[in-house]
Amino acid sequence: MMSSKPKVLLIRDDFPKKAIDLLRTRCDVKVLKRSKKDGLITTQDVVDCVPGMFSIFCYSGIPINEQVLKAAGPSLKVIGTMSVGFDHVDLTSMKKYGVRLGNTPGILTETVAEIAVGLIIATTRRFFEANREVKTGGWQEWIPGWMCGRSIKGSVVGILGCGNIGTSIAEKLINFKVSQLLYTSRRENLAVKALGGQLVTVDELMERSDFVVVALALNEDTKFIVNKDRIATMKSNAILVNIGRGELVDQDALVEALREKRIRGAGLDVMTPEPLPLNHPLMGLDNVLLLPHIGTSTIEMEEEMAVMTSQNILAVLDGCPMPHEVIF
């Protein structure tokens, strides 16, 4: 007998159990079937499985484009993405087909801010380089200047994009006794101002900062906001940290600046593409620290995000406001 419950397509089979159990109380949950033996998910996989679905439970790594939405048909009412960012979703097509979008902002603020601070410390104090020296026999004796980094204390920190995550980063870094805290925002951030933060232009922040933290959302206005010209204005001792999205930074220009040591280093939790090919130029540079987009990767946070994604989907099923809906 066919189920009369609305169908929800899970893009993966390893989302947190608590969230999926919540969906199963009301919905017929289907797991995406992958065509490739390597397990990689393709757009065609989604297209093949999506017809007749009420919802798609996805994440930022899978594009939701017009091809997917058209294949789904009129039964598709909501996309639940287990992410804050939604640049993987074609909003124009969503509007065209009348499909709503729920995301998971707010709850991941602290975990992403922790990664940003961790990248700053690990990059400026050269943790990964030093660890490699320990493991490869490079640590023979202490000599002046060996593995010297630079302290955060007394530095100028600039935060590009001071929303919830940027504010949390500022609150954490102020305890390192920075000399100045600069930030960009559409409007004055009173919480950061209370910490002594100064609202400046993007250009001024790039020129004055010892540490530039990119914490913006990606959209048409912010794509490549850290471009070649702005990288060229950075201090020679500056470190760039990106925890937003890879395309916020002109990566080719960053590689060039790092290779020529025109800036001191970079710490990236996001890049383009993801995953980064093993032969990518960034892989061969000692002055860049790369993480595989783990800003939200704590057990507690992933479960909370997944549950919120399920709640967004069920709210549409019940005709109620979503806990977090993207309005477009």
Side-chain angles (χ1 to χ4, degrees):
M1 180 182 291
M2 293 184 61
S3 172
S4 60
K5 293 181 178 179
K7 296 178 182 178
V8 176
L9 179 64
L10 296 184
I11 294 296
R12 301 184 62 90
D13 61 1
D14 50 5
F15 289 117
K17 183 176 183 297
K18 183 177 180 180
I20 305 313
D21 286 347
L22 179 61
L23 278 180
R24 285 197 171 107
T25 62
R26 307 281 307 285
C27 303
D28 183 7
V29 176
K30 305 290 185 181
V31 178
L32 181 87
K33 294 179 181 178
R34 308 180 195 187
S35 58
K36 287 190 173 183
K37 291 181 180 179
D38 59 13
L40 295 178
I41 300 168
T42 68
T43 297
Q44 189 60 49
D45 290 336
V46 184
V47 168
D48 290 343
C49 295
V50 77
M53 294 294 161
F54 169 78
S55 177
I56 303 173
F57 188 122
C58 66
Y59 61 101
S60 58
I62 302 300
I64 303 297
N65 54 26
E66 181 164 15
Q67 186 182 1
V68 170
L69 298 171
K70 184 178 181 180
S75 63
L76 187 67
K77 302 300 181 186
V78 57
I79 303 295
T81 182
M82 191 175 136
S83 62
V84 176
F86 44 87
D87 49 288
H88 57 296
V89 179
D90 181 348
L91 298 184
T92 301
S93 295
M94 291 280 284
K95 188 172 184 178
K96 175 181 176 180
Y97 289 94
V99 181
R100 296 165 67 184
L101 175 63
N103 67 336
T104 59
I107 58 175
L108 48 68
T109 296
E110 295 304 312
T111 56
V112 177
E114 287 170 3
I115 284 287
V117 175
L119 278 170
I120 289 172
I121 297 171
T123 306
T124 192
R125 296 301 302 273
R126 304 173 67 180
F127 281 5
F128 279 50
E129 292 175 75
N131 178 260
R132 185 172 62 250
E133 292 297 296
V134 171
K135 292 184 174 181
T136 59
W139 183 26
Q140 299 292 326
E141 60 175 331
W142 179 86
I143 56 175
W146 188 68
M147 281 295 125
C148 277
R150 179 173 178 174
S151 177
I152 300 171
K153 179 182 178 182
S155 67
V156 179
V157 173
I159 302 173
L160 278 177
C162 234
N164 291 335
I165 293 172
T167 300
S168 181
I169 293 168
E171 290 169 346
K172 291 170 173 54
L173 289 177
I174 204 69
N175 293 309
F176 286 83
K177 300 179 181 177
V178 301
S179 67
Q180 288 183 290
L181 180 62
L182 311 178
Y183 73 96
T184 66
S185 181
R186 292 176 182 171
R187 61 189 67 85
E188 192 170 54
N189 185 316
L190 297 180
V192 178
K193 182 180 180 181
L195 298 172
Q198 179 185 353
L199 178 62
V200 296
T201 65
V202 174
D203 290 335
E204 186 176 356
L205 184 145
M206 296 293 295
E207 292 171 10
R208 291 173 56 186
S209 300
D210 299 306
F211 297 95
V212 174
V213 184
V214 185
L216 290 156
L218 177 63
N219 54 50
E220 288 304 314
D221 294 330
T222 60
K223 187 175 182 179
F224 298 141
I225 192 168
V226 179
N227 56 32
K228 184 173 184 177
D229 291 340
R230 284 174 170 151
I231 291 173
T233 68
M234 293 175 69
K235 294 180 179 180
S236 60
N237 69 341
I239 284 176
L240 176 75
V241 167
N242 187 6
I243 49 84
R245 285 288 187 269
E247 288 188 318
L248 293 167
V249 176
D250 181 338
Q251 201 161 267
D252 291 339
L254 177 61
V255 167
E256 185 180 330
L258 290 168
R259 183 181 285 148
E260 297 176 1
K261 294 185 166 47
R262 288 189 277 108
I263 63 173
R264 193 157 60 93
L268 309 176
D269 186 44
V270 290
M271 54 216 73
T272 306
E274 294 181 359
L276 200 66
L278 295 178
N279 62 352
H280 192 279
L282 281 172
M283 293 291 196
L285 298 175
D286 288 334
N287 53 348
V288 60
L289 191 163
L290 304 171
L291 297 180
H293 204 151
I294 59 170
T296 60
S297 295
T298 68
I299 295 169
E300 300 85 358
M301 184 52 51
E302 286 200 352
E303 181 174 277
E304 195 170 351
M305 290 173 69
V307 168
M308 182 176 288
T309 303
S310 293
Q311 290 171 339
N312 282 335
I313 293 169
L314 292 175
V316 175
L317 179 61
D318 291 334
C320 300
M322 279 190 262
H324 290 283
E325 180 169 5
V326 178
I327 305 299
F328 48 88

